[in-house]
Amino acid sequence: MTDQQQHRFERGTDGPKVIVAGIDGSQSSMRAAAYAAGLARRQNAMLALVYVQPVLSAGAALGAPVADATGELVNEIRTAAERLKDTWNVRWEFHTFHGDPYNGLVTASDELKADAVIVGASESAGHRFIGSVAVRLVKAGRWPVTVVP
């Protein structure tokens, strides 16, 4: 048996390298981010927190500052990370994309070369008719998708 034919077991090398977690400020998305952070820590993977900012929301159409909502979300994430930095060592980045949530997460996952996508379950009743972002990501079949309730 040659060296190339011998199979050696390697511990911890086959896990995901980049985990994308979609966040929008909802409780479900924050639980998904926490789940993704734990997975990233255990796998020593990069956690990419992705917020997809609507191109033109109803609030923006009425003059409400959309950037403030993004800034608040970033501050909330940074505060949580600072609280846990001495307990857990997780490499993470925050990314903002523009568009609808599904296409934004697809773009983010492609650009960041995601190995896994973690999202929260939809909290909107209307998604029973048009389909939730999570269901659409699963149906796309391009990455392993975990939906956190």
Side-chain angles (χ1 to χ4, degrees):
M1 194 177 254
T2 68
D3 287 346
Q4 289 181 335
Q5 291 174 329
Q6 287 179 346
H7 184 273
R8 294 181 53 172
F9 178 78
E10 294 179 30
R11 176 171 284 161
T13 59
D14 293 336
K17 298 297 178 209
V18 177
I19 299 170
V20 168
I23 57 171
D24 61 6
S26 68
Q27 289 297 317
S28 179
S29 75
M30 297 312 269
R31 284 191 299 271
Y35 178 87
L39 183 60
R41 179 187 58 81
R42 289 186 296 278
Q43 296 293 329
N44 194 30
M46 171 63 69
L47 173 61
L49 298 170
V50 175
Y51 171 66
V52 181
Q53 186 176 37
V55 175
L56 183 64
S57 67
L62 296 173
V66 176
D68 288 349
T70 304
E72 289 174 21
L73 189 55
V74 172
N75 288 337
E76 185 177 335
I77 292 166
R78 283 200 177 117
T79 301
E82 281 296 318
R83 249 184 288 137
L84 298 174
K85 77 175 185 176
D86 294 330
T87 307
W88 309 112
N89 186 18
V90 177
R91 295 177 300 128
W92 65 279
E93 302 172 345
F94 181 80
H95 299 271
T96 301
F97 288 80
H98 297 281
D100 69 277
Y102 171 75
N103 287 319
L105 285 171
V106 167
T107 300
S109 298
D110 284 343
E111 287 183 13
L112 299 169
K113 297 180 178 20
D115 295 306
V117 179
I118 316 288
V119 293
S122 174
E123 296 178 352
S124 172
H127 288 160
R128 283 178 256 195
F129 301 109
I130 60 172
S132 70
V133 172
V135 169
R136 292 172 66 193
L137 287 168
V138 169
K139 286 183 178 180
R142 295 167 66 181
W143 318 269
V145 177
T146 302
V147 183
V148 177

